[in-house]
Amino acid sequence: HYDHFEPNENDPRNVPLTVDDLALIPSIWREPDKVEKGDTETSIICTMFDGSKGVYRLCVDVKKDVRVKTFYKNTVEAYEATKKP
């Protein structure tokens, strides 16, 4: 997750995370707005929308135990672009 914090975030599709954003991880895990399959058979992505501020993405591996793979925040535009056919 270190790469997604200020000033390390280099991906223009993402909003740099703050320490306060970390406090949202339990809520994103327990009450996501959306859950989808991740990039492997055992991973899921929990999504929470933050209005016009961005979209939190919590990637979790659920094979044997729950492990957070990464946590980042997309811009709304970048998130919408990934959802177009």
Side-chain angles (χ1 to χ4, degrees), residues 13-73:
R13 299 170 298 174
N14 293 341
V15 176
L17 292 171
T18 66
V19 174
D20 291 340
D21 293 328
L22 291 177
L24 297 172
I25 290 176
S27 296
I28 297 168
W29 173 246
R30 288 191 301 259
E31 300 175 21
D33 293 322
K34 182 176 183 179
V35 177
E36 56 197 298
K37 186 179 180 322
D39 58 354
T40 67
E41 280 188 25
T42 61
S43 66
I44 60 172
I45 301 173
C46 298
T47 301
M48 180 178 278
F49 303 100
D50 189 22
S52 62
K53 297 177 185 176
V55 180
Y56 290 102
R57 310 276 283 164
L58 181 67
C59 302
V60 180
D61 189 324
V62 294
K63 185 174 183 176
K64 292 184 181 178
D65 52 2
V66 176
R67 292 184 187 208
V68 174
K69 293 173 62 175
T70 191
F71 177 57
Y72 59 96
K73 186 176 183 179

Side-chain angles (χ1 to χ4, degrees), residues 3-18:
D3 292 340
H4 297 296
F5 278 89
E6 300 178 302
N8 302 321
E9 180 61 75
N10 294 320
D11 190 331
R13 299 170 298 174
N14 293 341
V15 176
L17 292 171
T18 66

